[in-house]
Amino acid sequence: MHRFYGNGIANMSSSTSPAAASAPTESALDFLRLDDELSEDERLVRDAVARLVDERVLPIIGECFESARFPRELLPALAELGVFGSTLQGYGCAGLNAVSYGLICRELERGDSALRSFVSVQSSLCMYPIHAYGSEQQKQQWLPRMARGEVIGCFGLTEPQGGSDPANMRTTARRNGDGWRLNGSKLWITNGHIADLAIVWAQTPEGMRGFLLERGTRGFSAEEIKHKFSLRASNTGALFFDDVHLPAEAALPGATGIKAALSCLSQARFGICWGALGAAQACLGEALAHAGERELFGRPLSHTQAVQLRLAEMVRKLAGAQLLALQLGRLKERDALSAAQISLGKWNNCRIALEIARDCRDLLGGAGISIEHAAIRHMLNLESVVTYEGTETIHQLTIGRAVTGIAAF
Ligand SMILES: Cc1cc2nc3c(=O)[nH]c(=O)nc-3n(C[C@H](O)[C@H](O)[C@H](O)COP(=O)(O)OP(=O)(O)OC[C@H]3O[C@@H](n4cnc5c(N)ncnc54)[C@H](O)[C@@H]3O)c2cc1C
């Protein structure tokens, strides 16, 4: 049985103990009342996605994680809510603001990082580059179907020799008549094995470029990466290109240079800043409820000072991270958000979520290692989330470069 403890945590009573107890006066999951800062439209988006997560995701996600199964059956419902390419204008996309996208990510990751990862890849890493760098024909061909969840995308940047240094790319696209000949491979690609369309980044004589590659193209194959202990409900694959012929119109006309690829990562990393909050909230809600119920040494855990110190520490970290995400969202809406600011949010919020998940796992004791509780699943997922889209070191070096002017990668 998977349990969700939502924003109504303030109403939760922990008064089973003989010691003095009164109703909580603050919400652990929204200590600074940041939900009050949201617009009516933003709240509607949040509530619609939250409902879907409560009704459709939480009942099945433990089984999906255990059996390493991506819950593909949820795609029509997610598409119906407009979560794919939600911030894009036109082409069947919802045209929401940045904070709404953040709230979508937060609510989905409260369910599981796998779902947020899917939406990040589909929206920020695949639909965004087509929208930003594609021809009108490419946009018409792909975006409406991707918004409806009929076409699944993946984003192939990372290669076996090192994801942190994408400029050291060995996949090449050489001119071949009117088109291109693609050779190389990609590793650790979310949706890699189930995608209908891959955005592939390759070195060309003119520098790095982005290409659209359809499943079934001769010379293109994908393999699922199995035996993961993290993001088990997400599909991860390796892509192989063996003399793949691409027509001229497969190139994204505006996606030239590594900056184009990095601009997609900035979109996705912004979503991760919010998504990590959802995982942390799920864990803290679960641990708080457990601390109120679990009696040891004649009193509930929540009545001990040591446990309250731990809960307070988690509330401190979560509240700061929530404030950071909201400020990044408001900056993004003013088109004033820098890559280094996103790095701060990605690094900080993944780190606090991982720390909170680990501490919540421990507060649950032995039960905390069971998939019956959410903490171990989130904790294991967050090991990927902290690594992909730039490791902590890479984000620290990005911030270091921004404040010193020196690139020390
Ligand atoms: C589940 C999952 C899904 C993923 N999905 C995608 C996807 O959809 N598309 C995609 O393109 N990629 C994807 N990735 C790849 C991900 O972005 C990379 O794993 C990540 O960028 C790190 O690259 P790497 O694994 O090659 O590690 P490496 O780059 O080899 O890094 C190893 C270690 O070295 C450290 N390091 C690197 N550079 C320095 C330095 N200059 N100084 C000090 N330390 C340094 C790193 O911080 C890290 O701790 C995914 C990864 C995972 C695990």
Side-chain angles (χ1 to χ4, degrees), residues 60-344:
I60 62 164
I61 198 63
E63 174 271 316
C64 292
F65 186 93
E66 204 161 11
S67 59
R69 181 179 78 80
F70 172 65
R72 196 176 180 143
E73 67 273 20
L74 296 175
L75 296 190
L78 288 166
E80 184 72 19
L81 285 182
V83 306
F84 300 137
S86 59
T87 58
L88 303 179
Q89 298 288 343
Y91 307 97
C93 302
L96 299 176
N97 69 355
V99 167
S100 296
Y101 175 50
L103 291 164
I104 290 171
C105 290
R106 189 186 79 185
E107 290 308 315
L108 289 176
E109 198 147 354
R110 180 169 66 72
D112 196 271
S113 304
L115 281 171
R116 200 270 310 137
S117 297
F118 183 92
V119 170
S120 289
V121 169
Q122 181 84 348
S123 304
S124 295
L125 297 182
C126 296
M127 295 175 73
Y128 170 79
I130 295 172
H131 196 272
Y133 304 119
S135 66
E136 188 54 35
Q137 194 266 334
Q138 289 168 334
K139 294 180 204 183
Q140 298 282 0
Q141 184 179 357
W142 295 110
L143 292 177
R145 286 156 71 205
M146 295 182 90
R148 292 196 297 270
E150 294 164 9
V151 168
I152 295 176
C154 73
F155 177 88
L157 180 69
T158 302
E159 299 189 354
Q161 69 276 7
S164 302
D165 184 14
N168 178 26
M169 181 172 283
R170 295 190 191 152
T171 295
T172 57
R174 304 261 179 248
R175 292 275 181 191
N176 183 26
D178 281 350
W180 302 85
R181 187 183 296 123
L182 183 70
N183 278 291
S185 65
K186 301 286 174 182
L187 194 61
W188 298 116
I189 305 305
T190 301
N191 300 345
H193 191 240
I194 59 171
D196 306 292
L197 181 70
I199 311 279
V200 177
W201 298 89
Q203 290 291 5
T204 75
E206 305 116 59
M208 194 181 290
R209 292 198 62 172
F211 296 88
L212 299 176
L213 176 55
E214 287 185 60
R215 200 218 313 238
T217 305
R218 185 187 297 191
F220 172 35
S221 57
E223 263 174 28
E224 185 174 1
I225 297 176
K226 297 196 171 179
H227 313 298
K228 290 180 298 166
F229 278 69
S230 175
L231 279 186
R232 286 178 58 78
S234 169
N235 177 276
T236 315
L239 312 180
F240 304 95
F241 321 113
D242 182 11
D243 269 341
V244 178
H245 175 74
L246 291 172
E249 56 273 18
L252 288 166
T256 53
I258 194 170
K259 275 196 168 158
L262 296 181
S263 74
C264 306
L265 296 179
S266 285
Q267 304 297 319
R269 288 166 177 167
F270 169 76
I272 294 172
C273 297
W274 282 83
L277 301 175
Q281 288 176 206
C283 294
L284 179 53
E286 181 178 71
L288 192 54
H290 180 80
E293 292 160 3
R294 178 75 168 163
E295 287 206 24
L296 292 165
F297 301 100
R299 57 184 177 170
L301 272 181
S302 59
H303 290 232
T304 67
Q305 289 190 352
V307 168
Q308 288 204 3
L309 294 181
R310 287 166 71 179
L311 293 171
E313 179 73 357
M314 289 190 251
V315 168
R316 175 181 70 78
K317 289 175 179 169
L318 179 62
Q322 288 168 330
L323 203 49
L324 176 52
L326 188 62
Q327 172 63 2
L328 295 184
R330 296 304 180 214
L331 284 172
K332 190 163 169 48
E333 282 158 16
R334 300 205 307 265
D335 210 11
L337 184 61
S338 74
Q341 289 165 335
I342 296 173
S343 281
L344 183 69

Side-chain angles (χ1 to χ4, degrees), residues 2 5 31 46 108 114 119 140 219 234 248 265 319 360 377 388 398:
H2 297 278
Y5 304 96
F31 198 77
R46 175 200 65 192
L108 289 176
V119 170
Q140 298 282 0
S234 169
L265 296 179
C360 289
R377 179 168 50 79
Y388 69 21
T398 302

